[in-house]
Amino acid sequence: MLEHFCECYSDLSGPIPCPVLGSITPLFIPNSRIRPIRLIGLCASLITFLYPPVPRIQFDPSTATSQFVESLRWLPYENINLYLGIDGISLFFVILTTFLIPICISVGWSGMRSYGKEYITASLIREFLMIAVFRMLDPLLFYVLPESVPIPMFIIIGVWGSRQRKIKAAYQFFLYTLLGSVFMLLAILLILLQTGTTDSQISLTTEFSERRQIFLWIASFASFAVKVPMVPVHIWLPEAHVEAPTAGSVILAGIPLKLGTHGFLRFSIPMFPEATLRSTPFIYTPSAIAIIYTSSTTSRQIDLKKIIAYSPVAHMNLVTIGMFSPNIQGIGGSILPMSSHGPVPSALFLCVGVLYDRHKTRLARYYGGSVSTMPNLPTISFSSTLANMSSPGTSSFIGEFPISVGAFQRNSLVATLAALGMILGAAYSLWLYNRAVSGNLKPDFLHKFSDPNGREVSIFIPFLVGVVRMGVHPKVFPDRMHTSVSNLVQHGKFN
Amino acid sequence: MVLIYSDNYMSHDQGYLRFIYYMSFFNASMLGLVTSSNLIQIYIFWELVGMCSYLLIGFWFTRPIAANACKKAFVTNRVGDFGLLLGILGLYWITGSFEFRDLFEIFNNLIYNNGTNFLFVSLCALFLFVGTVAKSAQFPLHVWLPDAMEGPTPISALIHAATMVATGIFLVARLFPLFIVIPYIMNLISLIGIITILLGATLALAQKDIKKSLAYSTMSQLGYTMLALGMGSYQAALFHLITHAYSKALLFLGSGSIIHSMEAIVGYSPDKSKNMVLMGGLTKHVPITKNTFLLGTLSLCGIPPLACFWSKDEILNDSWLYSPIFAIIACLTTGLTAFYMFRIYLLTFEGYFNVHCKNYSGKKVACSIQYLYGVKKVKKQLKKNAMDFDILSKWLNPATNLLHKNLNNYGDWYEFVKNAIFSVSISYFGIFLASLLYNPVYSSLQNLDLINSVAKKVPKRIFWDKIINKVYNWSYNRGYIDGYK
């Protein structure tokens, strides 16, 4: 009886209908009764959060094949089915997603006065899509799902954002991603034509000719590069982050940023190994440039949120450098910052969100000496700043170190430049922190202060715990991922 | 011991708990660092120590100067960490291991069999050394050390005299077998060492602030240690590190109690309380501090019975064997060291007190700590004289010693005495110069009439006055040179 229950429970289609139900239900409740709407939203997301630990416990780390696979017949005459499953790499992303969404909803708790149910709806649909993203296994879903994720984001930024510029930012965000992805659609259609089916197992084992591989690789690169974001097309990121409401930034930093690198990991590298090897310099150059350029340009920003928004660019580019160094340290090392990068900038955005909540301004020149009046907030933001800087003891370091090792073995110059980004990262993070926290108060601008209250501190705690735990005892993560990653490396015959 | 001192020192500070917390964290990181067995662990604790220094230097965060100083320290350290990381990665690529034992074996094999590109190997060692340069405040990356004096005095004593700046030296000593097979790096290490020595000594001459001059003195002494490492005399370097740590801690603690006393008089503004110009003639007020401070100063100048003499002498001897130019510079700087140390001492303690004040009695606990240090120093020199030096060498288990083929050659007393006399005489000369310029005997109020009468009787008074005026105008801050008043 219990086994049967566990079986049903572990059936991974749980996390899919749950948020959808949670998002549909509030539509029936009028907007004036905000409390039940919020509660329903929060409960739905919490229930969804309860789902992933079970497969995590039941996960078998010794095989590299996907587990808990389900398929859905979609267009039978084209032999297109939708496959969903989890393997070592996706496991943590699913957990991360379900972890972040309840936090988002509780962050936006007080901001939901207007259009409350639309907010819940959008958030939960987004959650459903994102979980599906990390579990997708076939190429068609690779197009559909990551393109659908920006849609709720677009709505959230556009409606609940904080300034006039939000409309422009939302459009930029959406259109950039769409433009890149159109090329990806071409690539998928080509794969479909060649293989005749969208089953990922078959696609993985198909031998594409090298010319075709290169074309397919570049087409999918166009899509993923925008999402990563890589340097020429990274503009949407600071805009979107700054204009989004706090909860929106938290989730934006958490998940959609991973879509690009996740796509590389799942799609480009396994399917087009020769093209990957050939195009490694093509990836390395923009990534290295991105790390140095964004870290430098961050130092001259005046908006607190923009400063924090640039750091994911640098981190994600570090991840791509790691990913394209075709050894196990590089690839395995690149997954760790992806999962650690969820909590870290999200926590920083929350800190800034707390400040913004109180003072309604994000310009750095108005802030100073906040540690005298709000002692708890700087403690939390110091830990997050340390994590942002990849200081040892935090999860970012655990990721950055293997990436450096892997990259160095492939190309030492790029590894040098990436490490240079470490210094610059420390410089701007610390500058921001120091500026806002130490020094003198500026009573000309800010009069009233209040420490983060209980709700806000309790939101921070899971982030800090996660970061420190992963930093101090990271053994758990590579253990689960190891088989999948080595399978990936071998599949590409990279060694 | 510094913790006990800081207990009393910070007892009036409302951030007391935070201070002890940070100090303990620093202790833990430092211990972790010295007990690491592989490079990754060292790197982790290296960065943690840097972070602790950020927190401690910026302890009084409401002062903008302190906030800027801690940022500077951390970012400079980060530059070093960048170098260290690259060096570690390069070594991993070459040897495939992070553990020290394996690293040395494989490395030596590779070098002797010409297995790797020598340029690349030198580059890796260079990067590792960059980490040290930043952490131990050597020449290009020394800029954070004087600003780091914004922190409370106990942490200056702990971090910047004894332990954190020793981290860099520790790394070089640990990786000594790596560096020793690459002659270019050894030359570079000694070159940077010597530049730092000279730079620190000359900068220390011009400081108004007591802690800053002690900071520059630290920089200079670390340069000595680095020079010794670059020359290959591994034990001398570590020995000097230990003796210097003791002396410097003593001096910093002494200065801490002086600053506290000054605060009672001139107020809590750090600019005024640390300003040596306003001090002077504290002898009668804080005699215990004066005695211990004198002990520390004498030790650092390299006066025979005390501890630093032996270590400094060892380094100077080795430098004669290594390269005459370096030796000349090092000896000159010994004189400079003596000069500025005594300048500090004399400005602070002798003469008449430039600010009208009431009596202040030094803190009892602080004084007892300083006594303890002083006693330790005396004991140390009794233990560590030349004959017992062998014990230290057995402890340290040196890998090689390039310059001394047999360690028992200290039976050659004549040689030793000759060198010793030379270096001690240079120190005495420095002390003499300092007392000449800063000697307050001529400026005490009671003697003013005597001075005038003496001056009037001197025949070529006008000429002498001209010289004095010229020197007076030329000197940077006239309040200094008491002797010409």
Side-chain angles (χ1 to χ4, degrees):
Chain A
M1 180 63 194
L2 198 58
E3 295 93 44
H4 184 66
F5 177 70
C6 283
E7 252 180 51
C8 291
Y9 188 67
S10 72
D11 185 4
L12 264 197
S13 49
I16 303 269
C18 192
V20 176
L21 279 177
S23 62
I24 294 179
T25 321
L27 291 175
F28 299 113
I29 307 179
N31 216 347
S32 49
R33 302 181 55 196
I34 192 73
R35 278 176 127 231
I37 298 181
R38 296 198 293 204
L39 278 174
I40 290 177
L42 192 60
C43 291
S45 53
L46 281 174
I47 293 176
T48 323
F49 180 54
L50 291 176
Y51 271 101
V54 174
R56 180 187 167 152
I57 298 170
Q58 288 191 338
F59 187 70
D60 181 8
S62 57
T63 69
T65 56
S66 318
Q67 304 171 24
F68 309 107
V69 177
E70 298 130 33
S71 71
L72 191 63
R73 296 185 70 81
W74 203 43
L75 293 174
Y77 55 90
E78 290 282 353
N79 213 5
I80 296 178
N81 301 325
L82 302 176
Y83 288 94
L84 299 170
I86 277 194
D87 73 344
I89 300 177
S90 335
L91 187 62
F92 295 107
F93 293 118
V94 174
I95 297 181
L96 186 65
T97 314
T98 51
F99 163 71
L100 278 177
I101 294 277
I103 292 190
C104 258
I105 293 185
S106 39
V107 164
W109 203 251
S110 49
M112 270 193 276
R113 306 260 166 228
S114 57
Y115 300 114
K117 61 180 178 187
E118 282 82 359
Y119 185 78
I120 297 284
T121 311
S123 305
L124 289 172
I125 290 197
R126 195 176 47 184
E127 173 169 20
F128 145 64
L129 288 171
M130 289 193 283
I131 295 179
V133 160
F134 288 117
R135 298 181 45 220
M136 62 192 172
L137 281 182
D138 72 88
L140 190 60
L141 282 183
F142 262 99
Y143 174 69
V144 170
L145 288 173
E147 290 324 303
S148 335
V149 169
I151 298 178
M153 274 314 303
F154 174 74
I155 297 177
I156 289 186
I157 296 177
V159 175
W160 288 282
S162 39
R163 299 192 293 186
Q164 279 309 106
R165 211 178 150 86
K166 60 189 178 183
I167 311 285
K168 180 172 175 201
Y171 269 111
Q172 247 184 355
F173 170 49
F174 190 65
L175 289 176
Y176 264 80
T177 354
L178 191 63
L179 191 63
S181 313
V182 167
F183 292 105
M184 171 113 170
L185 186 60
L186 285 176
I188 293 179
L189 288 177
L190 190 57
I191 296 179
L192 197 56
L193 277 175
Q194 177 164 343
T195 61
T197 172
T198 60
D199 188 348
S200 72
Q201 300 298 327
I202 298 182
S203 320
L204 279 176
T205 49
T206 315
E207 287 288 327
F208 297 98
S209 73
E210 183 152 351
R211 275 193 59 188
R212 188 168 274 194
Q213 267 196 21
I214 292 184
F215 168 70
L216 289 171
W217 193 92
I218 291 183
S220 49
F221 170 75
S223 158
F224 298 133
V226 174
K227 295 205 181 63
V228 161
M230 296 204 139
V231 152
V233 289
H234 71 288
I235 309 287
W236 62 268
L237 185 94
E239 299 275 355
H241 267 122
V242 170
E243 305 308 328
T246 312
S249 300
V250 166
I251 193 67
L252 185 58
I255 309 298
L257 276 179
K258 315 289 177 299
L259 293 178
T261 42
H262 183 84
F264 274 131
L265 196 63
R266 286 286 198 198
F267 194 73
S268 305
I269 298 183
M271 289 203 200
F272 318 126
E274 281 92 21
T276 308
L277 277 175
R278 288 274 293 263
S279 45
T280 314
F282 182 56
I283 287 267
Y284 272 359
T285 321
S287 300
I289 294 178
I291 294 180
I292 297 185
Y293 167 68
T294 49
S295 306
S296 316
T297 195
T298 311
S299 315
R300 66 180 183 96
Q301 300 295 335
I302 51 172
D303 184 342
L304 287 179
K305 226 171 173 183
K306 219 168 207 172
I307 296 178
I308 304 175
Y310 268 106
S311 71
V313 180
H315 285 226
M316 284 300 122
N317 281 290
L318 192 65
V319 168
T320 50
I321 286 185
M323 212 177 273
F324 281 86
S325 6
N327 44 35
I328 196 165
Q329 289 111 342
I331 298 184
S334 63
I335 299 178
L336 285 164
M338 282 209 279
S339 38
S340 100
H341 193 71
V344 170
S346 309
L348 281 172
F349 277 120
L350 281 175
C351 297
V352 174
V354 166
L355 284 176
Y356 180 71
D357 241 352
R358 287 166 179 47
H359 305 299
K360 293 299 175 216
T361 175
R362 284 196 301 263
L363 291 183
R365 60 187 292 251
Y366 297 139
Y367 287 106
S370 51
V371 67
S372 332
T373 47
M374 298 198 273
N376 283 333
L377 187 64
T379 318
I380 298 172
S381 50
F382 186 63
S383 323
S384 312
T385 308
L386 280 182
N388 203 10
M389 289 196 283
S390 319
S391 163
T394 62
S395 47
S396 330
F397 177 71
I398 306 293
E400 181 192 316
F401 198 76
I403 288 182
S404 310
V405 171
F408 201 84
Q409 299 187 344
R410 171 69 196 229
N411 181 345
S412 29
L413 179 63
V414 169
T416 313
L417 292 174
L420 199 63
M422 185 174 85
I423 307 180
L424 296 171
Y428 74 72
S429 308
L430 214 57
W431 182 81
L432 166 68
Y433 175 74
N434 223 359
R435 184 113 189 227
V437 165
S438 318
N440 295 320
L441 282 175
K442 299 189 181 166
D444 305 340
F445 304 119
L446 308 172
H447 310 290
K448 299 187 188 156
F449 308 94
S450 63
D451 227 355
N453 55 28
R455 174 177 67 90
E456 288 162 343
V457 171
S458 57
I459 295 178
F460 279 117
I461 288 180
F463 286 112
L464 294 180
V465 166
V467 162
V468 171
R469 185 201 187 274
M470 212 172 140
V472 172
H473 182 94
K475 185 168 181 298
V476 173
F477 300 90
D479 275 350
R480 311 275 174 158
M481 292 192 286
H482 187 75
T483 329
S484 318
V485 172
S486 40
N487 192 39
L488 191 63
V489 173
Q490 274 172 357
H491 171 80
K493 307 180 223 10
F494 289 139
N495 273 348
Chain B
M1 240 190 264
V2 176
L3 274 173
I4 303 177
Y5 178 86
S6 52
D7 174 35
N8 206 329
Y9 192 85
M10 303 290 291
S11 59
H12 300 304
D13 199 310
Q14 75 184 66
Y16 179 66
L17 182 65
R18 201 160 48 98
F19 186 74
I20 299 293
Y21 170 66
Y22 289 156
M23 285 279 255
S24 320
F25 195 52
F26 175 79
N27 272 338
S29 314
M30 197 66 206
L31 284 173
L33 194 127
V34 299
T35 55
S36 328
S37 67
N38 57 15
L39 278 174
I40 301 189
Q41 222 173 323
I42 278 200
Y43 183 73
I44 293 180
F45 285 112
W46 186 276
E47 291 232 23
L48 280 181
V49 163
M51 183 195 87
C52 289
S53 82
Y54 168 80
L55 290 172
L56 282 170
I57 294 174
F59 184 69
W60 288 316
F61 40 67
T62 46
R63 296 188 62 220
I65 303 182
N68 288 337
C70 60
K71 213 171 21 177
K72 193 178 195 178
F74 193 77
V75 178
T76 320
N77 270 325
R78 259 288 161 138
V79 175
D81 294 341
F82 159 69
L84 187 63
L85 181 69
L86 284 179
I88 293 179
L89 294 179
L91 276 180
Y92 180 70
W93 194 22
I94 300 175
T95 55
S97 152
F98 285 117
E99 298 281 334
F100 285 130
R101 282 186 299 249
D102 309 334
L103 206 56
F104 296 153
E105 279 172 29
I106 303 177
F107 197 77
N108 279 328
N109 287 342
L110 282 176
I111 295 286
Y112 287 126
N113 301 340
N114 270 341
T116 60
N117 185 2
F118 197 64
L119 182 62
F120 184 70
V121 159
S122 322
L123 210 59
C124 286
L126 177 68
F127 277 125
L128 284 171
F129 181 59
V130 166
T132 305
V133 163
K135 212 37 154 227
S136 297
Q138 300 298 306
F139 162 58
L141 296 170
H142 65 283
V143 291
W144 61 274
L145 193 61
D147 292 320
M149 297 297 131
E150 296 297 332
T153 315
I155 60 139
S156 300
L158 188 61
I159 298 185
H160 306 121
T163 45
M164 190 170 108
V165 292
T167 331
I169 312 279
F170 173 75
L171 184 76
V172 177
R174 260 289 194 214
L175 297 175
F176 200 63
L178 283 181
F179 288 122
I180 228 174
V181 286
I182 311 175
Y184 304 118
I185 297 291
M186 298 296 275
N187 289 339
L188 183 69
I189 295 180
S190 30
L191 183 68
I192 290 199
I194 201 97
I195 295 178
T196 315
I197 296 176
L198 205 51
L199 196 64
T202 47
L203 284 171
L205 290 174
Q207 297 301 315
K208 267 194 310 200
D209 187 349
I210 187 173
K211 279 176 74 175
K212 282 210 168 56
S213 10
L214 288 177
Y216 281 114
S217 152
T218 308
M219 192 175 132
S220 180
Q221 298 301 314
L222 284 173
Y224 269 106
T225 320
M226 202 57 93
L227 177 67
L229 279 174
M231 292 191 295
S233 52
Y234 169 77
Q235 313 97 293
L238 288 180
F239 185 35
H240 190 68
L241 187 68
I242 299 175
T243 54
H244 167 253
Y246 272 111
S247 323
K248 234 351 142 22
L250 179 59
L251 287 173
F252 267 114
L253 295 182
S255 72
S257 98
I258 295 173
I259 291 175
H260 251 6
S261 0
M262 293 293 289
E263 271 174 4
I265 300 161
V266 295
Y268 277 104
S269 152
D271 279 334
K272 291 208 207 98
S273 65
K274 291 194 277 191
N275 194 344
M276 282 194 292
V277 173
L278 296 176
M279 300 182 207
L282 285 176
T283 315
K284 31 186 180 316
H285 298 293
V286 281
I288 308 178
T289 310
K290 173 206 164 192
N291 288 332
T292 50
F293 203 86
L294 182 62
L295 207 58
T297 313
L298 283 177
S299 163
L300 210 57
C301 297
I303 304 301
L306 297 175
C308 276
F309 163 69
W310 306 102
S311 54
K312 198 180 265 195
D313 212 55
E314 181 75 16
I315 297 180
L316 287 178
N317 284 343
D318 287 342
S319 69
W320 281 113
L321 293 172
Y322 180 70
S323 149
I325 310 176
F326 281 11
I328 294 176
I329 298 181
C331 289
L332 265 178
T333 326
T334 317
L336 275 179
T337 309
F339 181 69
Y340 69 70
M341 291 305 302
F342 260 84
R343 172 177 173 269
I344 297 176
Y345 172 70
L346 289 171
L347 268 183
T348 320
F349 287 107
E350 300 290 349
Y352 80 100
F353 204 13
N354 287 349
V355 174
H356 184 64
C357 75
K358 57 187 188 303
N359 259 338
Y360 178 80
S361 57
K363 291 181 182 297
K364 293 296 178 291
V365 177
C367 298
S368 60
I369 295 292
Q370 287 162 17
Y371 254 144
L372 217 57
Y373 261 119
V375 165
K376 234 192 181 145
K377 189 169 308 312
V378 174
K379 259 197 326 201
K380 225 174 166 34
Q381 55 84 17
L382 286 176
K383 263 195 325 193
K384 296 213 190 309
N385 62 32
M387 289 312 175
D388 292 323
F389 196 38
D390 296 339
I391 298 182
L392 188 66
S393 2
K394 288 197 201 89
W395 276 353
L396 293 177
N397 200 10
T400 52
N401 192 340
L402 281 178
L403 301 170
H404 289 262
K405 293 307 167 206
N406 50 334
L407 292 174
N408 297 327
N409 69 349
Y410 268 92
D412 194 358
W413 270 106
Y414 174 65
E415 183 84 25
F416 172 66
V417 167
K418 195 168 71 146
N419 292 334
I421 287 184
F422 180 59
S423 52
V424 173
S425 62
I426 294 186
S427 314
Y428 274 134
F429 183 63
I431 298 177
F432 173 67
L433 263 182
S435 35
L436 190 62
L437 282 179
Y438 294 98
N439 193 328
V441 170
Y442 294 98
S443 72
S444 55
L445 279 171
Q446 297 96 337
N447 284 341
L448 202 55
D449 301 329
L450 183 62
I451 281 290
N452 276 339
S453 50
V454 164
K456 276 182 194 138
K457 286 182 194 148
V458 169
K460 293 188 186 154
R461 193 168 62 96
I462 301 174
F463 183 60
W464 185 238
D465 274 346
K466 272 206 199 124
I467 294 179
I468 291 183
N469 281 338
K470 250 200 195 111
V471 174
Y472 219 54
N473 288 336
W474 172 77
S475 75
Y476 174 67
N477 193 335
R478 298 177 185 192
Y480 281 179
I481 306 187
D482 271 347
Y484 288 108
K485 265 201 190 143

